[in-house]
Amino acid sequence: MLGSLIALLLSASPPVGLETRWDTSPACVEAHALPTRVASLSGREAMPAARLSLGAERSGVQWKVSLELETPGSSSAAPLRRTLEGRDCATLTEAVALVVAVQLDAVAVAQVIASREAAPSLEQVELPEVLEVAEPSSPAPTRSPAPALRASDSDSAPSPSRRPRPRAIVGLAAAGELGILPRGAAAFELTGGLGWPRASLELGALASLGPDGVSEQSPAVGGRFRLFTGLVRSCGVPSQGRLALPLCGGLELGDLRAVGTGLQHPSTVNAWWVAVVASARPQWWVSPRFRVGALLDLVVPLRRHRFATAEAGPVHEVAPVAVRLGVHVSVRLP
């Protein structure tokens, strides 16, 4: 059908009574050739008189052509308004002629195209570009709506590559702990943070619970110890396939609490807990969002504490280096 359209536009026919005027400076569209091309499309020598107003505006490599067509029979109705957009002016000229011809006599245009399409000698020619026809949002013929079709420009600068977007991560860990509380403890950790393909940043909280400590001098006297601390941890995450080995450095800041037991007047001691932590946390991605793994934390207290009572002497002293060994799971949120 496109080949027939080109053949029709190139054939010579008498012009119709089409009055053409510009609302902008003449540009792109060959207005003087429009009457002949409209007549070629209709296949008729006599067509109704019509008044065509044209406007052309350049936007980068694109042309926007607005048209307003008034016919004697449309005096009581709003005139036809269209906006055409494209890069090739010859194609835009043909498109304007087609719109006018269809509006003046759509049946005649269809008959001519059908008869030409049936002829075997016509050469099939591809149009250089597809145009989009849209109603403008304003009745003013020179104003165009936002373009519905934007042609790509090979000379335009390529869009910058997007950086990986960080994903939210929620994690839960359980470990055995040795060196902070008396006779070992169980530590539980809850974290949340952001993860990138090769790094992560986490904030969280940790609680350690263990058996009571007792004095060597008087086993009936001792203390109940608990550790409650906040943490911040940053990791580099080398990975291979579904396996990853985050290597992390972190800081813990919280409260090491001791409550005396076996005393006539027991008291509670709250000691500041400050420690740096080095971690290795190998993990395996079970699915794109869920992973499981192990953890090994080396905890170095920056403030070591020694707990004692006047009645029974020393009860507990924090080790210079503590160890946590356990498992963890985490979920990556979309």
Side-chain angles (χ1 to χ4, degrees):
M1 180 174 180
L2 295 178
S4 299
L5 175 61
I6 294 298
L8 290 173
L9 296 177
L10 294 178
S11 62
S13 299
V16 298
L18 181 65
E19 178 185 347
T20 304
R21 66 180 180 88
W22 283 95
D23 294 327
T24 63
S25 298
C28 194
V29 176
E30 300 177 10
H32 64 279
L34 287 177
T36 299
R37 295 178 181 181
V38 171
S40 299
L41 280 170
S42 64
R44 298 173 52 180
E45 296 184 2
M47 292 290 292
R51 179 179 302 169
L52 176 64
S53 300
L54 292 172
E57 178 183 356
R58 191 176 184 90
S59 177
V61 297
Q62 297 282 99
W63 280 98
K64 296 180 182 178
V65 176
S66 59
L67 66 90
E68 179 179 299
L69 182 65
E70 298 180 9
T71 59
S74 64
S75 57
S76 60
L80 174 72
R81 296 186 178 93
R82 291 288 185 271
T83 297
L84 308 177
E85 182 177 346
R87 298 173 58 183
D88 184 73
C89 290
T91 304
L92 285 170
T93 302
E94 314 301 351
V96 172
L98 178 61
V99 171
V100 174
V102 170
Q103 181 66 18
L104 294 178
D105 195 336
V107 174
V109 173
Q111 290 175 346
V112 171
I113 291 177
S115 62
R116 296 295 179 89
E117 195 68 36
S121 60
L122 291 179
E123 180 184 1
Q124 299 295 323
V125 180
E126 292 292 335
L127 285 178
E129 185 178 359
V130 178
L131 299 176
E132 179 71 18
V133 181
E135 284 285 351
S137 57
S138 171
T142 58
R143 178 177 293 180
S144 303
L149 177 65
R150 180 70 65 181
S152 61
D153 184 9
S154 58
D155 296 332
S156 61
S159 59
S161 58
R162 294 184 178 180
R163 294 183 177 179
R165 184 183 65 177
R167 300 294 183 90
I169 298 177
V170 177
L172 180 65
E177 182 181 84
L178 185 64
I180 299 177
L181 304 188
R183 298 186 292 171
F188 302 94
E189 177 186 281
L190 177 64
T191 58
L194 296 175
W196 291 264
R198 294 291 182 267
S200 66
L201 178 64
E202 301 174 355
L203 299 175
L206 180 141
S208 295
L209 313 173
D212 295 348
V214 296
S215 169
E216 295 181 0
Q217 298 179 10
S218 178
V221 178
R224 182 179 299 110
F225 294 84
R226 301 288 186 267
L227 174 64
F228 302 99
T229 180
L231 63 91
V232 58
R233 180 166 53 236
S234 178
C235 304
V237 189
S239 60
Q240 180 66 38
R242 291 190 174 187
L243 298 178
L245 180 60
L247 302 175
C248 311
L251 178 68
E252 294 181 354
L253 180 63
D255 175 37
L256 179 57
R257 182 178 304 173
V259 180
T261 60
L263 301 172
Q264 291 183 354
H265 303 287
S267 61
T268 300
V269 176
N270 296 93
W272 274 103
W273 174 255
V274 183
V276 293
V277 184
S279 305
R281 301 197 166 204
Q283 60 192 20
W284 177 55
W285 288 97
V286 179
S287 70
R289 294 186 181 179
F290 183 73
R291 61 185 176 183
V292 297
L295 67 88
L296 173 61
D297 292 350
L298 298 180
V299 185
V300 180
L302 299 184
R303 298 184 64 179
R304 293 181 59 197
H305 299 287
R306 183 174 181 269
F307 299 88
T309 66
E311 295 87 343
V315 175
H316 173 61
E317 183 176 0
V318 176
V321 178
V323 177
R324 297 189 187 110
L325 182 64
V327 295
H328 70 92
V329 297
S330 62
V331 178
R332 185 174 66 184
L333 304 179

